[in-house]
Amino acid sequence: MHAHSPSEHDLPMVVADKETIADGIVRLELRACDGHDLPSWTPGSHIDVTVGTDVIRQYSLCGDPGDRTTYEIAVLKEHQGRGGSAYVHDRLEVGERLRVKGPRNHFALVAAPSYVFIAGGIGITPIRAMIRSVGFGSARWSLTYGGRSRSSMAFREELVSVHGDRVRLRPQDEFGPIDIGEVLAELDDPQASVVYCCGPAPLLEAVTVACGARGIGVHVERFMPSAAPKGSEDEAFELELARSGRTINVPADRTIVAALEAAGVTVPTSCEEGICGTCETAVLRGLPEHRDSLLTDEERVLNDTMMPCVSRSRSSRLVLDL
Ligand code: FES
């Protein structure tokens, strides 16, 4: 099975606890409604949560992977968002039920002798789970954690009290933006180190560029899509659905998902921006034009899977496993 294959798990869950842990951030504990163990997960995983009536949002699991009874997430109130985070903050109550899918991992921790974790704001959530797993093991690691101000930085006291000076807090109002050059300059053996960064897009860009210039391996988690590849104008193409044998025309001004929807074929979607993996579909023939922010370069060249919410086709006909 492909690493990005959608999970089969559809989990009715209940909110077991809700608390404010920093300015504009609440932490939720979720449990299975039937009290059973939850699917196992690895650091970097996220779940899709349906909040309110139909808003689906992705949240990184930030708790203990060894605890099979509880999923822990932290939710930032986004004033520009689609209403999901406002619902969680203002209306969601302990005891309320939620539909959850997953967990899935697009940000998995690879084995390495040395890690550099860089987190910005709510981007601390997957990093907290990674640090719990790397924690007191033999790998060297450090965390540089930035945020608007100390009071906006979730888990800051816990991280410092448990891990001491491996954790550097860099609130922007005291230190300015994170000095990535300084963080990387401290590495004894840059080539043996792996950088994991999660946070706002400008931080990810800066870390990616700085690591690229020094030949350091870097993994970033985007909460916003990267820019779509520039190129020719979009063109229409034909889509063949292998399971039903139907052929559908995808016009230049419609996505594959929208063209399928118009033909009565529903593909599950969530972000519709190529960042969550919910719509991932196997490609049987033809050449997709990948426009997602998820697949790695190695995965792209295999052309055996795609995100039809944003990606198109380079060949005049694309055959999908639908
Ligand atoms: Fe999120 Fe397509 S719906 S990647």
Side-chain angles (χ1 to χ4, degrees):
M1 185 178 273
H2 190 275
H4 289 286
S5 291
S7 164
E8 301 302 316
H9 301 297
D10 204 341
L11 309 163
M13 300 193 78
V14 61
V15 180
D17 195 20
K18 173 181 173 180
E19 64 165 335
T20 300
I21 55 169
D23 291 350
I25 298 179
V26 293
R27 187 186 68 93
L28 300 181
E29 282 183 17
L30 307 175
R31 304 225 167 105
C33 289
D34 62 9
H36 287 160
D37 274 0
L38 296 166
S40 60
W41 60 281
T42 49
S45 296
H46 71 266
I47 52 174
D48 290 349
V49 181
T50 305
V51 283
T53 46
D54 58 357
V55 179
I56 303 177
R57 293 296 312 268
Q58 286 77 44
Y59 296 109
S60 293
L61 293 174
C62 64
D64 177 4
D67 177 359
R68 298 290 299 275
T69 67
T70 309
Y71 285 164
E72 217 182 309
I73 59 174
V75 180
L76 170 71
K77 188 165 186 180
E78 292 171 79
H79 298 287
Q80 310 296 332
R82 288 181 285 171
S85 68
Y87 181 89
V88 169
H89 275 256
D90 302 338
R91 314 226 330 246
L92 186 70
E93 291 179 1
V94 171
E96 194 168 326
R97 292 180 172 224
L98 289 174
R99 291 207 331 269
V100 172
K101 273 197 173 177
R104 282 178 284 144
N105 198 341
H106 301 304
F107 190 42
L109 195 59
V110 297
S114 166
Y115 299 94
V116 176
F117 299 109
I118 302 174
I122 195 67
I124 193 62
T125 47
I127 304 284
R128 180 186 185 226
M130 290 179 175
I131 286 174
R132 193 187 283 273
S133 112
V134 171
F136 300 99
S138 57
R140 294 186 304 281
W141 65 270
S142 69
L143 165 66
T144 303
Y145 177 18
R148 276 191 335 277
S149 60
R150 257 170 223 272
S151 61
S152 71
M153 295 167 65
F155 307 117
R156 68 189 183 282
E157 284 164 1
E158 165 203 293
L159 289 163
V160 170
S161 73
V162 175
H163 299 291
D165 58 12
R166 284 175 153 175
V167 175
R168 262 181 300 203
L169 301 183
R170 290 289 180 267
Q172 191 156 358
D173 59 352
E174 296 174 36
F175 293 88
I178 293 174
D179 186 340
I180 297 155
E182 181 188 69
V183 173
L184 299 180
E186 288 172 5
L187 292 174
D188 303 336
D189 184 359
Q191 266 63 45
S193 303
V194 184
V195 175
Y196 278 83
C197 177
C198 186
L203 176 67
L204 304 187
E205 296 302 326
V207 168
T208 304
V209 168
C211 290
R214 294 165 174 79
I216 301 172
V218 60
H219 299 255
V220 297
E221 168 122 292
R222 288 177 200 280
F223 286 143
M224 297 295 290
S226 54
K230 305 234 182 323
S232 51
E233 294 286 299
D234 288 343
E235 287 178 16
F237 57 94
E238 277 187 341
L239 203 60
E240 186 180 320
L241 312 188
R243 294 190 211 169
S244 62
R246 289 178 68 188
T247 298
I248 289 168
N249 187 46
V250 181
D253 61 350
R254 271 201 180 161
T255 65
I256 294 178
V257 164
L260 285 168
E261 191 76 42
V265 182
T266 302
V267 175
T269 59
S270 171
C271 70
E272 301 198 15
E273 294 178 324
I275 56 175
C276 76
T278 305
C279 67
E280 180 166 9
T281 304
V283 178
L284 302 178
R285 276 193 302 284
L287 285 178
E289 181 183 303
H290 297 290
R291 294 187 179 180
D292 61 278
S293 305
L294 271 176
L295 297 175
T296 63
D297 289 345
E298 293 77 28
E299 289 167 336
R300 274 167 215 276
V301 296
L302 293 176
N303 288 323
D304 61 356
T305 189
M306 71 184 298
M307 307 300 157
C309 65
V310 289
S311 297
R312 301 188 64 82
S313 182
R314 288 193 281 143
S315 48
S316 58
R317 178 173 274 246
L318 199 57
V319 184
L320 299 183
D321 186 19
L322 286 173

